Amino acid sequence: MSTKTLIKTVCVYCGSRMGNKQLYKDQAAELGQRIAEAGLSLVYGGGSIGLMGVVARSASEHGVDVVGIIPHHLDDVEVTQEGLSELHLTDDMHQRKKMMFERSDAFIVLPGGLGTLDETLEMMTWAQLSLHSKPIIIVNSNNYWSPLLELVEHVVTDGFAAPENADLLTVTDSPEGAIRLINNANNHA
């Protein structure tokens, strides 16, 4: 994982649901705390529900700036988190994803659903197209993202992506590992 600029703000992609394993909720809370302890700021999807709400509340409770970005149509569904440092309402999902990208220096991916998968794949695609070189870190809790990692390998093996595309994701199994990767990148920036 290489980065040329100092990472100050981390975007976390994760579920608007809790999932069915306590580990996911625990790691979301831990990640929020570790982001704060590392002196980073958090950018996320703005909701108060699911893992995204857990990460945001944990980061906020530990004194870090938390920036929520949510489209108007999800404001009621995902119930916007109160007490954010900044809240941005967007017209649509495309504007939300672009703003999250622009406000972030790195991405950490926790377990989540189709929206999390969409956000992760878009950042991978943009990196593949050399539109950014920001780190994309997958927290592979309980091997949750192993099928995605296997799919990426399959795409490369069958010749639909260059071998270096498999390296667009950096994988760890814990929030501690994710923050360690960011700290290491900052030490070499």
Side-chain angles (χ1 to χ4, degrees):
M1 181 180 83
S2 66
T3 182
K4 294 179 181 12
T5 60
L6 196 62
I7 298 169
K8 298 177 185 175
T9 303
V10 175
C11 178
V12 174
Y13 296 135
C14 60
S16 61
R17 295 180 180 213
M18 289 292 184
N20 58 13
K21 293 179 175 52
Q22 183 64 37
L23 172 67
Y24 303 148
K25 183 178 178 183
D26 294 345
Q27 286 195 335
E30 179 185 347
L31 181 59
Q33 179 179 347
R34 289 189 180 274
I35 287 170
E37 289 171 350
L40 302 167
S41 295
L42 170 66
V43 171
Y44 86 113
S48 65
I49 60 175
L51 296 184
M52 75 165 80
V54 173
V55 170
R57 285 188 296 279
S58 177
S60 183
E61 288 166 5
H62 288 90
V64 71
D65 285 339
V66 177
V67 177
I69 303 171
I70 192 166
H72 290 284
H73 76 276
L74 286 182
D75 192 23
D76 292 333
V77 178
E78 294 185 352
V79 189
T80 301
Q81 180 67 45
E82 294 181 6
L84 299 175
S85 306
E86 294 179 39
L87 174 65
H88 300 274
L89 291 169
T90 64
D91 294 330
D92 55 40
M93 292 296 287
H94 299 292
Q95 190 180 29
R96 175 198 209 183
K97 290 190 291 183
K98 183 179 180 198
M99 186 178 286
M100 290 172 79
F101 167 78
E102 290 171 344
R103 297 292 303 263
S104 303
D105 302 315
F107 307 93
I108 298 177
V109 184
L110 292 176
L114 297 177
T116 304
L117 187 57
D118 170 61
E119 292 162 332
T120 304
L121 289 174
E122 185 159 13
M123 289 307 101
M124 288 179 68
T125 301
W126 290 7
Q128 174 190 346
L129 297 172
S130 300
L131 298 176
H132 77 87
S133 59
K134 299 175 184 182
I136 306 167
I137 302 168
I138 297 280
V139 179
N140 196 20
S141 307
N142 199 41
N143 293 312
Y144 182 82
W145 289 115
S146 292
L148 171 64
L149 301 172
E150 291 169 13
L151 177 60
V152 171
E153 277 298 324
H154 173 71
V155 169
V156 169
T157 300
D158 277 17
F160 288 98
E164 58 268 16
N165 292 155
D167 297 329
L168 294 174
L169 298 173
T170 304
V171 182
T172 185
D173 63 356
S174 68
E176 177 185 11
I179 298 303
R180 188 178 325 111
L181 288 165
I182 288 174
N183 287 337
N184 287 344
N186 278 343
N187 289 337
H188 294 97

